[in-house]
Amino acid sequence: MDEKVILGKEEWCALPELGLPAVKARVDSGAKTSSLHAFNLHEFEENGKRYVHFDIHPVQDNRKIIQSCRGRVVDRRSVKSSSGDKEKRYVIRTPIQLGEQSWDIEITLTNRDSMGYRMLLGREAMAGRTLIDPDASFSLGDIGNEQAKQYYHVAAPKKNGLKIAVLASNPDLYSNKRLIEAGEERGHEMRFVNISQCYMNISSKEPQIQYRGGESLSDIDAVIPRIKPAMTFYGCAITRHFSTLGVYCLNGSVAINKSRDKLRSLQELANKRIPMPTTAFAHSPVETREIISMVHGAPLVVKLLEGAQGRGVVLAETNKAAESVINAFKSLKANILVQEFIKEAQGQDIRCFVIDGKVVGTMQRRAAPGEFRANLHLGGTADSVRITAEERKIAVNAAKAMGLVVAGVDIIRSKDGPKVLEINSSPGLEGIEDVTGKDIASLMIEAIERNIRKKKK
Ligand code: ADP
């Protein structure tokens, strides 16, 4: 028997059959099974054996580097994740190398990047082979993320790649980082453009957009607007100007503007006969009690027209409370919607991510205990969900009614069937990529490629 390998709480290991020469693993004898962070999983059969193909970002905090792997499937197992949810995972068997020694281990594949490590080494895989020194790190030597990168191939820009700008405010947001990485992976030249640092020259002869310091942005092929609510006015103006210059915008300024106004959105949906909760619009002169009875009385929901991420959405449980809330908002001269409360949804709603007329990902969001709003920003949790053909159709039609190429359509399941709550023109990628395990950012880049090709034809 070989000597035991002494491991610290984190170690670099190699999974040679998967083509992974360096992966940083968290060593955790508290966990039974080992897991590897994987996405784009597809099962296939070869010579009567089952395999799974998957992609992995082997280096922590780096999504530019992608390695495609295939592993022999030995099982599919229900595993409880760190968040307590049950998840059916593929189990593969493959050799691991730790220091000088190598042996076969079983690893489950999961798209949840728990604890920030790409890999978790559990006790089953270590049984009898290792000793753990919980105070140590990298007992076998620290390679470091920078050096680990050298082991992997980074895709170079394509010759016929596009110049694509992510038009947003914060380059460190997960969604913005992912879009840049996904574009680079597909061979495009990506850049982050801060909305507030753009300025434009509006003239019929030679309209221009310039960036801080006077750099011209006119040579950009496509723009992905990711405009935060507070920047709607200026962000839409810049997007509109890019369109004037002939730059393809994944979501046009008119559609973004429409979706930012809850009342206008609902009116557009109503116009296309898309189901939504019964809603009344209130402004100061309107009789409060009438508004309340229009939505069949309390419990009801009052929403600020300009609210986002669940802020400005209030539940009034009695008619008395509803009256006070509505009158309070009125006295502040705030524009509000009053909406029937869909109690049977039990604090859950469904986010459908739509790209180019297709639902590419869905997740069910559940409100935190004692809360009825399912927004992730308010502590809601997300899980995978299957939607019905009817829900799919409603989501696609809702995006279309708003004129959005990319949209997050929120649907609530009521006793009378699915209803649209709202439509977001800059839906976040983190939750949906995590839950579905899909590379949604790449699907957005693909949509740009496809639509620019169409435009050229
Ligand atoms: P925001 O744009 O601020 O996210 P929403 O209208 O989407 O506002 O509401 C936030 C959350 O509140 C929704 O995700 C949903 O969980 C809950 N909610 C909103 N309207 C209703 C309603 N009419 N009935 C039940 N729950 C609702």
Side-chain angles (χ1 to χ4, degrees):
M1 179 91 201
D2 290 326
E3 217 174 287
K4 289 194 171 164
V5 186
I6 298 176
L7 301 178
K9 56 182 180 293
E10 46 187 343
E11 291 295 345
W12 289 92
C13 64
L15 302 164
E17 272 186 12
L18 302 179
L20 301 171
V23 180
K24 187 157 69 182
R26 165 108 174 98
V27 178
D28 183 4
S29 56
K32 187 167 163 242
T33 40
S34 301
S35 57
L36 194 61
H37 173 54
F39 57 97
N40 289 339
L41 292 98
H42 305 285
E43 193 181 335
F44 64 97
E45 229 185 77
E46 207 175 87
N47 303 329
K49 287 185 182 131
R50 286 193 305 150
Y51 291 89
V52 58
H53 176 279
F54 59 94
D55 291 332
I56 168 169
H57 298 294
V59 182
Q60 209 165 307
D61 297 325
N62 184 318
R63 288 168 180 267
K64 260 189 220 172
I65 298 175
I66 289 199
Q67 185 78 20
S68 287
C69 313
R70 58 181 256 171
R72 171 91 192 277
V73 177
V74 292
D75 197 8
R76 272 202 91 172
R77 205 180 286 162
S78 235
V79 175
K80 218 176 187 176
S81 73
S82 52
S83 60
D85 296 325
K86 274 208 167 162
E87 196 188 307
K88 212 144 195 199
R89 292 187 191 168
Y90 285 104
V91 185
I92 58 166
R93 197 172 171 79
T94 194
I96 186 171
Q97 178 150 16
L98 276 159
E100 300 288 300
Q101 295 192 29
S102 169
W103 62 90
D104 278 7
I105 65 166
E106 288 188 355
I107 312 182
T108 66
L109 301 178
T110 169
N111 56 49
R112 275 159 221 256
D113 191 8
S114 61
M115 303 158 68
Y117 289 83
R118 297 299 193 231
M119 183 173 168
L120 188 118
L121 195 63
R123 60 174 180 272
E124 257 178 10
M126 297 186 283
R129 304 252 185 191
T130 60
L131 292 173
I132 297 177
D133 176 358
D135 294 327
S137 273
F138 307 117
S139 301
L140 302 171
D142 187 5
I143 295 177
N145 285 347
E146 278 313 305
Q147 202 185 328
K149 280 190 210 164
Q150 317 292 324
Y151 289 102
Y152 297 99
H153 170 75
V154 183
K158 273 197 291 207
K159 265 216 196 99
N160 54 353
L162 300 166
K163 279 194 180 146
I164 305 178
V166 175
L167 185 65
S169 299
N170 181 356
D172 295 324
L173 272 190
Y174 175 94
S175 303
N176 297 338
K177 284 203 281 193
R178 281 287 298 122
L179 288 166
I180 300 241
E181 286 155 1
E184 283 174 349
E185 265 161 39
R186 296 186 63 83
H188 303 300
E189 192 182 320
M190 301 296 295
R191 65 176 296 178
F192 181 85
V193 170
N194 197 322
I195 297 171
S196 64
Q197 290 172 4
C198 294
Y199 50 100
M200 50 196 154
N201 165 353
I202 306 170
S203 78
S204 52
K205 276 209 187 103
E206 211 183 335
Q208 271 191 1
I209 297 193
Q210 297 198 321
Y211 203 40
R212 55 179 177 210
E215 178 199 356
S216 168
L217 293 178
S218 310
D219 64 340
I220 284 174
D221 299 303
V223 164
I224 308 176
R226 302 285 301 183
I227 302 168
K228 64 177 180 184
M231 283 304 267
T232 304
F233 175 76
Y234 197 58
C236 283
I238 296 287
T239 306
R240 194 157 49 235
H241 212 60
F242 271 117
S243 290
T244 307
L245 296 176
V247 176
Y248 174 75
C249 299
L250 187 70
N251 279 350
S253 62
V254 175
I256 298 172
N257 229 324
K258 265 192 217 166
S259 73
R260 284 291 151 85
D261 177 338
K262 281 188 205 250
L263 175 62
R264 188 164 172 199
S265 306
L266 291 179
Q267 287 175 316
E268 298 279 352
L269 298 184
N271 194 19
K272 293 282 184 309
R273 304 284 178 270
I274 294 168
M276 69 186 87
T278 305
T279 308
F281 177 60
H283 195 59
S284 324
V286 185
E287 189 57 54
T288 302
R289 287 197 187 147
E290 249 171 61
I291 284 283
I292 294 176
S293 70
M294 270 172 114
V295 300
H296 317 300
L300 55 80
V301 177
V302 181
K303 297 184 182 182
L304 270 178
L305 272 202
E306 287 84 22
Q309 295 177 348
R311 286 185 299 260
V313 178
V314 182
L315 172 64
E317 304 209 48
T318 62
N319 284 337
K320 199 94 210 116
E323 244 179 82
S324 316
V325 174
I326 294 171
N327 288 336
F329 276 135
K330 274 190 194 173
S331 69
L332 291 171
K333 303 230 177 315
N335 283 321
I336 52 169
L337 290 178
V338 178
Q339 198 165 64
E340 80 176 291
F341 176 55
I342 312 291
K343 193 170 174 212
E344 59 275 20
Q346 298 182 338
Q348 297 187 17
D349 70 6
I350 294 169
R351 161 61 58 92
C352 302
F353 205 107
V354 179
I355 301 179
D356 242 355
K358 257 196 193 152
V359 176
V360 297
T362 55
M363 64 176 172
Q364 182 158 51
R365 302 182 301 184
R366 189 179 314 131
E371 173 60 70
F372 77 100
R373 296 165 297 180
N375 303 68
L376 300 184
H377 286 93
L378 296 173
T381 50
D383 277 302
S384 58
V385 67
R386 269 181 177 274
I387 59 167
T388 64
E390 186 190 7
E391 286 163 344
R392 195 169 289 276
K393 197 165 143 207
I394 288 174
V396 168
N397 285 344
K400 195 167 156 206
M402 302 300 295
L404 290 168
V405 180
V406 172
V409 180
D410 294 342
I411 289 180
I412 193 161
R413 285 177 170 164
S414 82
K415 57 182 187 318
D416 310 317
K419 293 181 172 180
V420 173
L421 276 184
E422 78 156 342
I423 301 166
N424 194 320
S425 57
S426 294
L429 294 177
E430 187 164 12
I432 197 90
E433 289 199 332
D434 185 22
V435 168
T436 60
K438 284 192 191 162
D439 187 348
I440 306 273
S442 284
L443 296 177
M444 286 172 68
I445 304 289
E446 268 178 45
I448 294 179
E449 295 165 5
R450 196 166 50 238
N451 290 327
I452 286 192
R453 264 200 311 272
K454 255 195 227 158
K455 210 171 103 177
K456 278 191 183 146
K457 269 188 193 162

